[in-house]
Amino acid sequence: MLEILRNIFTLSIGAIFIENFVLCQFLGICPFLGVSKKVETASGMGFAVVFVMTVASAITWVVQYFLVKFGLDYLQTIAFILVIAVLVQFVEMFLQKAIPALYESLGIYLPLITTNCAVLGVAILNTTKFTEGPTFLYSTLYGFMAGVGFLVAIVLMAGIRERLETSDIPEFLKGMPITLITAGLMAMAFMGFSGLSF
Amino acid sequence: MKTSNPVVLALVLFLITAIVTFALAFVNSLTEPVIAMNTEQKITEAQQAVLDADEFSDDFDTSNIRLSETGVSVDALKLGFTDGECVGYVVTTTCSEGYGGDIQVMVGINNEGGENTVNKIEILSLSETPGLGANAQKDTFKDQYGGKEAGITVKKGGGAAGNEIDAISGATITSKAVTKAVNAALEAASGVVVSSDFTESVESESEEPESTEPESVESESAEPENADIGDAVPVEVGEKAEVE
Amino acid sequence: MKSIKTILNGLLYENPTFILLLGMCPTLATTTGVSNAVGMGLSAAAVLICSNIVISLLRKLIPSKIRIAAYIVIIAGFVTVVQMALEAYLPGLYESLGLYIPLIVVNCIILGRAEAFASKNSVWLSALDGLGMGLGFTCALVLIALVREVLGAGEILGMSIFPEAWNFQPASIMLLAPGAFLTLGVLLGIINAVRGRGGKKNA
C-alpha cells in the first residue's frame, strides 16, 4: 500500500516537474508555441488537454489490454490514434453546447488536440512505463498529471509572452525565435528538478 | 465524394480501416520472424563475447530468483562449459533505472575456484542520450567491469580503485543503472547450486526484496537524456556542464 | 517546370521546419545526433511520400466529412509499417528514436500536406511534394543536429572532429532540452534576419 502511494507521489511530481512533458520530453510543443499568447486562452487549452489526456489514458489502457490479449501489438498506433480522434470529436461537440465561449476562443486549436503529440505520447508511454501493480490507476493518474504539467508550462509561457509584448525585442527575433529562446531558458530552469527523488 | 449520409460515411471509414489493418497484418507476418531471429542471433553472439566457453546450457528457470534490490530483474541464466567443466555463467539482467528507461545487460561471470568475478559485459538494450549515457556502449566503459566482484560501486570524478568503476562524466544515472544490473547478475550467480550432472537448480534466496534507499532510485525520465545537474554547481548558458 | 518547382518548394521556399514551423516535437527531440536526425527525417519522408500518394489516389473517393479521420488512418498505417521495418532491419535506429517513431502519425507536416496538397493535386505532384517536404524536413533536422552534436559532444556521427590537442570541452547542455530550444530559436532568428524581415506574428 505504502509502495503504491509512494509510486503515485513519484509519478505525479515526475510528470509535472522532473520530466515535464513540454520542457523535458518535447511533447505538445506545437500548441505550446501556438496557443501561448494570452494567459486566458492558454489556460483554456491547458484544461482541455488535461481532460483529453486523462480520459485517453484510461481508454487506451483498456484498448491495450485487448491488443496484448489477442497478440495484436502492432495495431497499437492505429488503434490509439483513432481512440484519441473520436475522443476529441466528442469533447468538441460537448464544448460547443456547454461552454461556447471557450469553444470559440480555442477555434482551430481544439481539433488540433488530436495531433498533440502529448496525448498520443502519454498513451504509449503508459504502456511501457507501468508494468506492475495497479497499472490502470498509474496510467490514468499519469495522464492527468502530465496534462497538469502541460498546463503549468503553457500558462507560464503565456504569462511571459504577455510581458514580452511590451518589450523592446530586435525585429528578427520577434515571434517564434524569442519564444523558443524563452522556452530554452524555462527548460534550463526545470532541469533544476532533475535530481529530485523520493 | 459529396455525401452526408452517415451510413455511407461510417462504411467508407470502416472500409479504409479494414484495408489498412489487413495490410498491417500482412507486413507483420513478414517482419515478426525477422525480429525474432535478430533477437536470437544477438543473444548468441553476445554470449560468446562475454564468456569464453565452448558450450552453453539451456536457459534455467529464473522465476525463483529473489534479488535484494528492486528496480532490477533477472531475465536469463545459463552455464558455460569448456571440456565438460562448468567455467562460469552468463546472466542477463534488466535495470529499469536508466535515464531513458530499461537497460539490459548480459554479464559473463567466471567461476574460478569458487569465486565469481565478472569476465565481460555486453549491453543488449540501451536508450540513453547520445553523447552522454549512450557512451556506456564504449569499450572503455564496459571493460572496467572485468575482474570485479559482487557489490561494485560507482565513483564520480575519476580515480576508481578496487571494486569501483568510474562513472561516465555527466551520466551518473546511466552508470549506476548498469552497475546495478551487473551486481544483480553476480548476486543471481552466487545463488546457483550446481549438481553433479549439471542439471542445476537455482536456490531462491530467503530474503524478500526490500525497497531500496532513495539514494539509488534517482529520477528516471522516459526521454533519453542525462542530466545529473542535481549535484553540481549551477550551469550558466554557454558554460560546459561538467558534472561532478 | 512544375515538378522541379514542387520539390524546391518543400526544400526551401516552404521548408516545413523553418518556414511553416510544423513538426516541432520530433525536431527538438531527435536532433541530438546527426545519425538520429537522418533516421527520423528519412522515416518521416517515407511516410509522407507514401501517404501523399495514397491520399491523392483516393481524393475523389473519400467523403469530405470524414477526410481527416481517413487521412489519419492511412498515415497511421504507413507509420506502423515503418515501425515494423525499422524494428526488423535497423534495430539500432529503432531503439534510439524510440517513442518518436509512432509519433510520426501526429507530425503536423504529414497531416498538413495531406490536407493542403495531396487532397487537391495529382498523384505525381503529390509524390513530389512529399519528396520535397521530406527532404526539407531532413535537411532542417540535420542542420540542427550538426549544431547540437558539435557543440554538445564535439562529434559528428559519433566521431570526434576536434584534434586531441585542442582539448575541446563540449557544452553538454546542447544535447539536453534547453539546447534544443535555443538552437532552433537562434537558427530561426538568423533565418529571419537573412530574409530581411521581422519575425512573423503568427507564433
PDB file of all heavy atoms in Angstrom, chain A residues 53-84:
ATOM      1  N   MET A  53      -6.145  14.109 -22.057  1.00  0.00           N
ATOM      2  CA  MET A  53      -5.062  13.194 -21.716  1.00  0.00           C
ATOM      3  C   MET A  53      -5.501  12.178 -20.663  1.00  0.00           C
ATOM      4  O   MET A  53      -5.125  11.003 -20.724  1.00  0.00           O
ATOM      5  CB  MET A  53      -3.839  13.974 -21.224  1.00  0.00           C
ATOM      6  CG  MET A  53      -3.011  14.536 -22.354  1.00  0.00           C
ATOM      7  SD  MET A  53      -1.676  15.591 -21.808  1.00  0.00           S
ATOM      8  CE  MET A  53      -0.414  14.414 -21.464  1.00  0.00           C
ATOM      9  N   THR A  54      -6.290  12.654 -19.696  1.00  0.00           N
ATOM     10  CA  THR A  54      -6.724  11.731 -18.646  1.00  0.00           C
ATOM     11  C   THR A  54      -7.643  10.657 -19.209  1.00  0.00           C
ATOM     12  O   THR A  54      -7.423   9.461 -19.013  1.00  0.00           O
ATOM     13  CB  THR A  54      -7.471  12.490 -17.540  1.00  0.00           C
ATOM     14  OG1 THR A  54      -6.715  13.639 -17.184  1.00  0.00           O
ATOM     15  CG2 THR A  54      -7.671  11.620 -16.319  1.00  0.00           C
ATOM     16  N   VAL A  55      -8.682  11.093 -19.920  1.00  0.00           N
ATOM     17  CA  VAL A  55      -9.633  10.122 -20.460  1.00  0.00           C
ATOM     18  C   VAL A  55      -8.962   9.210 -21.481  1.00  0.00           C
ATOM     19  O   VAL A  55      -9.196   8.006 -21.507  1.00  0.00           O
ATOM     20  CB  VAL A  55     -10.847  10.849 -21.089  1.00  0.00           C
ATOM     21  CG1 VAL A  55     -11.802   9.853 -21.693  1.00  0.00           C
ATOM     22  CG2 VAL A  55     -11.554  11.703 -20.050  1.00  0.00           C
ATOM     23  N   ALA A  56      -8.081   9.807 -22.307  1.00  0.00           N
ATOM     24  CA  ALA A  56      -7.389   8.985 -23.311  1.00  0.00           C
ATOM     25  C   ALA A  56      -6.546   7.914 -22.632  1.00  0.00           C
ATOM     26  O   ALA A  56      -6.498   6.769 -23.098  1.00  0.00           O
ATOM     27  CB  ALA A  56      -6.524   9.865 -24.203  1.00  0.00           C
ATOM     28  N   SER A  57      -5.855   8.285 -21.547  1.00  0.00           N
ATOM     29  CA  SER A  57      -5.022   7.306 -20.842  1.00  0.00           C
ATOM     30  C   SER A  57      -5.876   6.146 -20.369  1.00  0.00           C
ATOM     31  O   SER A  57      -5.487   4.981 -20.484  1.00  0.00           O
ATOM     32  CB  SER A  57      -4.333   7.944 -19.638  1.00  0.00           C
ATOM     33  OG  SER A  57      -3.432   8.921 -20.056  1.00  0.00           O
ATOM     34  N   ALA A  58      -7.048   6.475 -19.822  1.00  0.00           N
ATOM     35  CA  ALA A  58      -7.911   5.427 -19.303  1.00  0.00           C
ATOM     36  C   ALA A  58      -8.391   4.500 -20.411  1.00  0.00           C
ATOM     37  O   ALA A  58      -8.283   3.274 -20.315  1.00  0.00           O
ATOM     38  CB  ALA A  58      -9.113   6.051 -18.573  1.00  0.00           C
ATOM     39  N   ILE A  59      -8.893   5.095 -21.503  1.00  0.00           N
ATOM     40  CA  ILE A  59      -9.445   4.269 -22.569  1.00  0.00           C
ATOM     41  C   ILE A  59      -8.364   3.450 -23.262  1.00  0.00           C
ATOM     42  O   ILE A  59      -8.535   2.260 -23.538  1.00  0.00           O
ATOM     43  CB  ILE A  59     -10.189   5.142 -23.611  1.00  0.00           C
ATOM     44  CG1 ILE A  59     -11.304   5.920 -22.933  1.00  0.00           C
ATOM     45  CG2 ILE A  59     -10.741   4.266 -24.720  1.00  0.00           C
ATOM     46  CD1 ILE A  59     -12.118   6.760 -23.880  1.00  0.00           C
ATOM     47  N   THR A  60      -7.218   4.081 -23.537  1.00  0.00           N
ATOM     48  CA  THR A  60      -6.173   3.338 -24.245  1.00  0.00           C
ATOM     49  C   THR A  60      -5.618   2.205 -23.392  1.00  0.00           C
ATOM     50  O   THR A  60      -5.130   1.210 -23.918  1.00  0.00           O
ATOM     51  CB  THR A  60      -5.016   4.249 -24.699  1.00  0.00           C
ATOM     52  OG1 THR A  60      -4.557   5.006 -23.581  1.00  0.00           O
ATOM     53  CG2 THR A  60      -5.456   5.165 -25.806  1.00  0.00           C
ATOM     54  N   TRP A  61      -5.702   2.345 -22.055  1.00  0.00           N
ATOM     55  CA  TRP A  61      -5.265   1.233 -21.212  1.00  0.00           C
ATOM     56  C   TRP A  61      -6.121   0.007 -21.507  1.00  0.00           C
ATOM     57  O   TRP A  61      -5.615  -1.121 -21.646  1.00  0.00           O
ATOM     58  CB  TRP A  61      -5.387   1.625 -19.734  1.00  0.00           C
ATOM     59  CG  TRP A  61      -4.844   0.597 -18.803  1.00  0.00           C
ATOM     60  CD1 TRP A  61      -3.591   0.549 -18.284  1.00  0.00           C
ATOM     61  CD2 TRP A  61      -5.532  -0.543 -18.273  1.00  0.00           C
ATOM     62  NE1 TRP A  61      -3.449  -0.548 -17.472  1.00  0.00           N
ATOM     63  CE2 TRP A  61      -4.624  -1.237 -17.450  1.00  0.00           C
ATOM     64  CE3 TRP A  61      -6.823  -1.054 -18.417  1.00  0.00           C
ATOM     65  CZ2 TRP A  61      -4.960  -2.398 -16.759  1.00  0.00           C
ATOM     66  CZ3 TRP A  61      -7.164  -2.219 -17.739  1.00  0.00           C
ATOM     67  CH2 TRP A  61      -6.238  -2.878 -16.920  1.00  0.00           C
ATOM     68  N   VAL A  62      -7.430   0.236 -21.610  1.00  0.00           N
ATOM     69  CA  VAL A  62      -8.335  -0.871 -21.897  1.00  0.00           C
ATOM     70  C   VAL A  62      -8.057  -1.443 -23.287  1.00  0.00           C
ATOM     71  O   VAL A  62      -7.981  -2.656 -23.474  1.00  0.00           O
ATOM     72  CB  VAL A  62      -9.808  -0.395 -21.815  1.00  0.00           C
ATOM     73  CG1 VAL A  62     -10.749  -1.511 -22.194  1.00  0.00           C
ATOM     74  CG2 VAL A  62     -10.126   0.114 -20.421  1.00  0.00           C
ATOM     75  N   VAL A  63      -7.864  -0.540 -24.248  1.00  0.00           N
ATOM     76  CA  VAL A  63      -7.585  -0.990 -25.619  1.00  0.00           C
ATOM     77  C   VAL A  63      -6.306  -1.829 -25.642  1.00  0.00           C
ATOM     78  O   VAL A  63      -6.258  -2.896 -26.258  1.00  0.00           O
ATOM     79  CB  VAL A  63      -7.441   0.227 -26.562  1.00  0.00           C
ATOM     80  CG1 VAL A  63      -6.940  -0.205 -27.916  1.00  0.00           C
ATOM     81  CG2 VAL A  63      -8.765   0.948 -26.711  1.00  0.00           C
ATOM     82  N   GLN A  64      -5.284  -1.340 -24.952  1.00  0.00           N
ATOM     83  CA  GLN A  64      -4.003  -2.052 -24.927  1.00  0.00           C
ATOM     84  C   GLN A  64      -4.175  -3.441 -24.334  1.00  0.00           C
ATOM     85  O   GLN A  64      -3.588  -4.411 -24.820  1.00  0.00           O
ATOM     86  CB  GLN A  64      -2.981  -1.251 -24.105  1.00  0.00           C
ATOM     87  CG  GLN A  64      -1.634  -1.912 -23.934  1.00  0.00           C
ATOM     88  CD  GLN A  64      -0.796  -1.899 -25.192  1.00  0.00           C
ATOM     89  OE1 GLN A  64      -1.218  -1.372 -26.225  1.00  0.00           O
ATOM     90  NE2 GLN A  64       0.385  -2.469 -25.127  1.00  0.00           N
ATOM     91  N   TYR A  65      -5.024  -3.527 -23.306  1.00  0.00           N
ATOM     92  CA  TYR A  65      -5.245  -4.824 -22.671  1.00  0.00           C
ATOM     93  C   TYR A  65      -5.721  -5.842 -23.698  1.00  0.00           C
ATOM     94  O   TYR A  65      -5.239  -6.971 -23.768  1.00  0.00           O
ATOM     95  CB  TYR A  65      -6.275  -4.653 -21.550  1.00  0.00           C
ATOM     96  CG  TYR A  65      -6.666  -5.953 -20.899  1.00  0.00           C
ATOM     97  CD1 TYR A  65      -5.813  -6.574 -19.988  1.00  0.00           C
ATOM     98  CD2 TYR A  65      -7.871  -6.574 -21.212  1.00  0.00           C
ATOM     99  CE1 TYR A  65      -6.161  -7.765 -19.395  1.00  0.00           C
ATOM    100  CE2 TYR A  65      -8.224  -7.773 -20.618  1.00  0.00           C
ATOM    101  CZ  TYR A  65      -7.366  -8.368 -19.710  1.00  0.00           C
ATOM    102  OH  TYR A  65      -7.713  -9.555 -19.138  1.00  0.00           O
ATOM    103  N   PHE A  66      -6.679  -5.400 -24.553  1.00  0.00           N
ATOM    104  CA  PHE A  66      -7.203  -6.331 -25.549  1.00  0.00           C
ATOM    105  C   PHE A  66      -6.226  -6.580 -26.683  1.00  0.00           C
ATOM    106  O   PHE A  66      -6.139  -7.675 -27.218  1.00  0.00           O
ATOM    107  CB  PHE A  66      -8.539  -5.815 -26.106  1.00  0.00           C
ATOM    108  CG  PHE A  66      -9.676  -5.996 -25.139  1.00  0.00           C
ATOM    109  CD1 PHE A  66     -10.273  -4.916 -24.527  1.00  0.00           C
ATOM    110  CD2 PHE A  66     -10.119  -7.274 -24.832  1.00  0.00           C
ATOM    111  CE1 PHE A  66     -11.301  -5.094 -23.607  1.00  0.00           C
ATOM    112  CE2 PHE A  66     -11.145  -7.461 -23.916  1.00  0.00           C
ATOM    113  CZ  PHE A  66     -11.733  -6.374 -23.300  1.00  0.00           C
ATOM    114  N   LEU A  67      -5.465  -5.548 -27.042  1.00  0.00           N
ATOM    115  CA  LEU A  67      -4.472  -5.732 -28.101  1.00  0.00           C
ATOM    116  C   LEU A  67      -3.456  -6.785 -27.697  1.00  0.00           C
ATOM    117  O   LEU A  67      -3.106  -7.670 -28.472  1.00  0.00           O
ATOM    118  CB  LEU A  67      -3.743  -4.416 -28.390  1.00  0.00           C
ATOM    119  CG  LEU A  67      -4.496  -3.345 -29.169  1.00  0.00           C
ATOM    120  CD1 LEU A  67      -3.617  -2.125 -29.325  1.00  0.00           C
ATOM    121  CD2 LEU A  67      -4.901  -3.865 -30.527  1.00  0.00           C
ATOM    122  N   VAL A  68      -2.988  -6.693 -26.448  1.00  0.00           N
ATOM    123  CA  VAL A  68      -1.994  -7.648 -25.984  1.00  0.00           C
ATOM    124  C   VAL A  68      -2.602  -9.041 -25.903  1.00  0.00           C
ATOM    125  O   VAL A  68      -1.987 -10.037 -26.274  1.00  0.00           O
ATOM    126  CB  VAL A  68      -1.448  -7.221 -24.602  1.00  0.00           C
ATOM    127  CG1 VAL A  68      -0.618  -8.332 -23.998  1.00  0.00           C
ATOM    128  CG2 VAL A  68      -0.628  -5.956 -24.728  1.00  0.00           C
ATOM    129  N   LYS A  69      -3.863  -9.089 -25.438  1.00  0.00           N
ATOM    130  CA  LYS A  69      -4.518 -10.377 -25.260  1.00  0.00           C
ATOM    131  C   LYS A  69      -4.614 -11.137 -26.585  1.00  0.00           C
ATOM    132  O   LYS A  69      -4.475 -12.351 -26.629  1.00  0.00           O
ATOM    133  CB  LYS A  69      -5.931 -10.118 -24.724  1.00  0.00           C
ATOM    134  CG  LYS A  69      -6.610 -11.299 -24.141  1.00  0.00           C
ATOM    135  CD  LYS A  69      -7.594 -10.865 -23.042  1.00  0.00           C
ATOM    136  CE  LYS A  69      -8.065 -12.129 -22.314  1.00  0.00           C
ATOM    137  NZ  LYS A  69      -9.484 -12.276 -22.236  1.00  0.00           N
ATOM    138  N   PHE A  70      -4.862 -10.382 -27.689  1.00  0.00           N
ATOM    139  CA  PHE A  70      -5.022 -11.072 -28.967  1.00  0.00           C
ATOM    140  C   PHE A  70      -3.762 -11.004 -29.821  1.00  0.00           C
ATOM    141  O   PHE A  70      -3.808 -11.286 -31.003  1.00  0.00           O
ATOM    142  CB  PHE A  70      -6.204 -10.455 -29.731  1.00  0.00           C
ATOM    143  CG  PHE A  70      -7.522 -10.662 -29.050  1.00  0.00           C
ATOM    144  CD1 PHE A  70      -8.256  -9.577 -28.590  1.00  0.00           C
ATOM    145  CD2 PHE A  70      -8.019 -11.942 -28.843  1.00  0.00           C
ATOM    146  CE1 PHE A  70      -9.469  -9.773 -27.944  1.00  0.00           C
ATOM    147  CE2 PHE A  70      -9.226 -12.138 -28.201  1.00  0.00           C
ATOM    148  CZ  PHE A  70      -9.954 -11.054 -27.741  1.00  0.00           C
ATOM    149  N   GLY A  71      -2.662 -10.607 -29.203  1.00  0.00           N
ATOM    150  CA  GLY A  71      -1.399 -10.576 -29.926  1.00  0.00           C
ATOM    151  C   GLY A  71      -1.376  -9.585 -31.065  1.00  0.00           C
ATOM    152  O   GLY A  71      -0.713  -9.792 -32.075  1.00  0.00           O
ATOM    153  N   LEU A  72      -2.089  -8.482 -30.900  1.00  0.00           N
ATOM    154  CA  LEU A  72      -2.167  -7.510 -31.995  1.00  0.00           C
ATOM    155  C   LEU A  72      -1.394  -6.244 -31.656  1.00  0.00           C
ATOM    156  O   LEU A  72      -1.802  -5.156 -32.012  1.00  0.00           O
ATOM    157  CB  LEU A  72      -3.640  -7.141 -32.256  1.00  0.00           C
ATOM    158  CG  LEU A  72      -4.538  -8.266 -32.738  1.00  0.00           C
ATOM    159  CD1 LEU A  72      -5.978  -7.793 -32.774  1.00  0.00           C
ATOM    160  CD2 LEU A  72      -4.119  -8.713 -34.127  1.00  0.00           C
ATOM    161  N   ASP A  73      -0.253  -6.399 -30.983  1.00  0.00           N
ATOM    162  CA  ASP A  73       0.515  -5.230 -30.552  1.00  0.00           C
ATOM    163  C   ASP A  73       0.793  -4.247 -31.666  1.00  0.00           C
ATOM    164  O   ASP A  73       0.851  -3.045 -31.445  1.00  0.00           O
ATOM    165  CB  ASP A  73       1.866  -5.673 -29.983  1.00  0.00           C
ATOM    166  CG  ASP A  73       1.686  -6.507 -28.742  1.00  0.00           C
ATOM    167  OD1 ASP A  73       1.098  -7.596 -28.878  1.00  0.00           O
ATOM    168  OD2 ASP A  73       2.103  -6.065 -27.673  1.00  0.00           O
ATOM    169  N   TYR A  74       0.984  -4.749 -32.881  1.00  0.00           N
ATOM    170  CA  TYR A  74       1.377  -3.848 -33.959  1.00  0.00           C
ATOM    171  C   TYR A  74       0.264  -2.896 -34.365  1.00  0.00           C
ATOM    172  O   TYR A  74       0.489  -1.946 -35.090  1.00  0.00           O
ATOM    173  CB  TYR A  74       1.874  -4.645 -35.175  1.00  0.00           C
ATOM    174  CG  TYR A  74       0.849  -5.594 -35.745  1.00  0.00           C
ATOM    175  CD1 TYR A  74       0.008  -5.211 -36.776  1.00  0.00           C
ATOM    176  CD2 TYR A  74       0.717  -6.878 -35.254  1.00  0.00           C
ATOM    177  CE1 TYR A  74      -0.935  -6.072 -37.291  1.00  0.00           C
ATOM    178  CE2 TYR A  74      -0.233  -7.749 -35.761  1.00  0.00           C
ATOM    179  CZ  TYR A  74      -1.048  -7.343 -36.778  1.00  0.00           C
ATOM    180  OH  TYR A  74      -1.982  -8.209 -37.268  1.00  0.00           O
ATOM    181  N   LEU A  75      -0.954  -3.158 -33.883  1.00  0.00           N
ATOM    182  CA  LEU A  75      -2.061  -2.256 -34.204  1.00  0.00           C
ATOM    183  C   LEU A  75      -2.194  -1.133 -33.188  1.00  0.00           C
ATOM    184  O   LEU A  75      -3.132  -0.341 -33.233  1.00  0.00           O
ATOM    185  CB  LEU A  75      -3.383  -3.035 -34.261  1.00  0.00           C
ATOM    186  CG  LEU A  75      -3.534  -3.974 -35.443  1.00  0.00           C
ATOM    187  CD1 LEU A  75      -4.902  -4.642 -35.404  1.00  0.00           C
ATOM    188  CD2 LEU A  75      -3.379  -3.220 -36.760  1.00  0.00           C
ATOM    189  N   GLN A  76      -1.218  -1.051 -32.274  1.00  0.00           N
ATOM    190  CA  GLN A  76      -1.316  -0.065 -31.205  1.00  0.00           C
ATOM    191  C   GLN A  76      -1.432   1.358 -31.729  1.00  0.00           C
ATOM    192  O   GLN A  76      -2.326   2.104 -31.338  1.00  0.00           O
ATOM    193  CB  GLN A  76      -0.095  -0.178 -30.295  1.00  0.00           C
ATOM    194  CG  GLN A  76      -0.170   0.739 -29.107  1.00  0.00           C
ATOM    195  CD  GLN A  76       1.147   0.809 -28.364  1.00  0.00           C
ATOM    196  OE1 GLN A  76       2.127   1.263 -28.910  1.00  0.00           O
ATOM    197  NE2 GLN A  76       1.152   0.368 -27.129  1.00  0.00           N
ATOM    198  N   THR A  77      -0.506   1.747 -32.627  1.00  0.00           N
ATOM    199  CA  THR A  77      -0.504   3.127 -33.107  1.00  0.00           C
ATOM    200  C   THR A  77      -1.848   3.502 -33.700  1.00  0.00           C
ATOM    201  O   THR A  77      -2.437   4.521 -33.354  1.00  0.00           O
ATOM    202  CB  THR A  77       0.580   3.297 -34.189  1.00  0.00           C
ATOM    203  OG1 THR A  77       1.798   2.776 -33.682  1.00  0.00           O
ATOM    204  CG2 THR A  77       0.747   4.741 -34.563  1.00  0.00           C
ATOM    205  N   ILE A  78      -2.341   2.652 -34.587  1.00  0.00           N
ATOM    206  CA  ILE A  78      -3.558   2.991 -35.309  1.00  0.00           C
ATOM    207  C   ILE A  78      -4.768   2.976 -34.377  1.00  0.00           C
ATOM    208  O   ILE A  78      -5.633   3.861 -34.438  1.00  0.00           O
ATOM    209  CB  ILE A  78      -3.709   2.027 -36.519  1.00  0.00           C
ATOM    210  CG1 ILE A  78      -4.706   2.559 -37.507  1.00  0.00           C
ATOM    211  CG2 ILE A  78      -4.025   0.639 -36.106  1.00  0.00           C
ATOM    212  CD1 ILE A  78      -4.695   1.734 -38.781  1.00  0.00           C
ATOM    213  N   ALA A  79      -4.802   2.036 -33.436  1.00  0.00           N
ATOM    214  CA  ALA A  79      -5.935   1.964 -32.514  1.00  0.00           C
ATOM    215  C   ALA A  79      -5.948   3.178 -31.597  1.00  0.00           C
ATOM    216  O   ALA A  79      -6.978   3.815 -31.388  1.00  0.00           O
ATOM    217  CB  ALA A  79      -5.854   0.683 -31.692  1.00  0.00           C
ATOM    218  N   PHE A  80      -4.781   3.530 -31.051  1.00  0.00           N
ATOM    219  CA  PHE A  80      -4.702   4.651 -30.123  1.00  0.00           C
ATOM    220  C   PHE A  80      -5.116   5.949 -30.787  1.00  0.00           C
ATOM    221  O   PHE A  80      -5.874   6.744 -30.230  1.00  0.00           O
ATOM    222  CB  PHE A  80      -3.275   4.790 -29.571  1.00  0.00           C
ATOM    223  CG  PHE A  80      -2.971   3.843 -28.444  1.00  0.00           C
ATOM    224  CD1 PHE A  80      -3.803   2.773 -28.161  1.00  0.00           C
ATOM    225  CD2 PHE A  80      -1.840   4.025 -27.665  1.00  0.00           C
ATOM    226  CE1 PHE A  80      -3.516   1.902 -27.125  1.00  0.00           C
ATOM    227  CE2 PHE A  80      -1.543   3.166 -26.624  1.00  0.00           C
ATOM    228  CZ  PHE A  80      -2.384   2.098 -26.350  1.00  0.00           C
ATOM    229  N   ILE A  81      -4.592   6.194 -31.990  1.00  0.00           N
ATOM    230  CA  ILE A  81      -4.881   7.491 -32.611  1.00  0.00           C
ATOM    231  C   ILE A  81      -6.357   7.590 -32.973  1.00  0.00           C
ATOM    232  O   ILE A  81      -6.960   8.663 -32.872  1.00  0.00           O
ATOM    233  CB  ILE A  81      -3.954   7.746 -33.831  1.00  0.00           C
ATOM    234  CG1 ILE A  81      -4.055   9.203 -34.282  1.00  0.00           C
ATOM    235  CG2 ILE A  81      -4.268   6.854 -34.998  1.00  0.00           C
ATOM    236  CD1 ILE A  81      -3.537  10.190 -33.286  1.00  0.00           C
ATOM    237  N   LEU A  82      -6.974   6.484 -33.332  1.00  0.00           N
ATOM    238  CA  LEU A  82      -8.412   6.501 -33.621  1.00  0.00           C
ATOM    239  C   LEU A  82      -9.208   6.840 -32.367  1.00  0.00           C
ATOM    240  O   LEU A  82     -10.115   7.670 -32.394  1.00  0.00           O
ATOM    241  CB  LEU A  82      -8.870   5.142 -34.170  1.00  0.00           C
ATOM    242  CG  LEU A  82      -8.651   4.948 -35.665  1.00  0.00           C
ATOM    243  CD1 LEU A  82      -9.076   3.554 -36.081  1.00  0.00           C
ATOM    244  CD2 LEU A  82      -9.431   5.984 -36.466  1.00  0.00           C
ATOM    245  N   VAL A  83      -8.822   6.205 -31.253  1.00  0.00           N
ATOM    246  CA  VAL A  83      -9.493   6.489 -29.979  1.00  0.00           C
ATOM    247  C   VAL A  83      -9.399   7.968 -29.655  1.00  0.00           C
ATOM    248  O   VAL A  83     -10.369   8.627 -29.287  1.00  0.00           O
ATOM    249  CB  VAL A  83      -8.864   5.656 -28.842  1.00  0.00           C
ATOM    250  CG1 VAL A  83      -9.265   6.191 -27.484  1.00  0.00           C
ATOM    251  CG2 VAL A  83      -9.283   4.202 -28.963  1.00  0.00           C
ATOM    252  N   ILE A  84      -8.186   8.514 -29.815  1.00  0.00           N
ATOM    253  CA  ILE A  84      -7.980   9.923 -29.478  1.00  0.00           C
ATOM    254  C   ILE A  84      -8.803  10.827 -30.397  1.00  0.00           C
ATOM    255  O   ILE A  84      -9.421  11.789 -29.944  1.00  0.00           O
ATOM    256  CB  ILE A  84      -6.478  10.276 -29.576  1.00  0.00           C
ATOM    257  CG1 ILE A  84      -5.717   9.524 -28.481  1.00  0.00           C
ATOM    258  CG2 ILE A  84      -6.251  11.766 -29.437  1.00  0.00           C
ATOM    259  CD1 ILE A  84      -4.227   9.613 -28.610  1.00  0.00           C
TER     260      ILE A  84
END
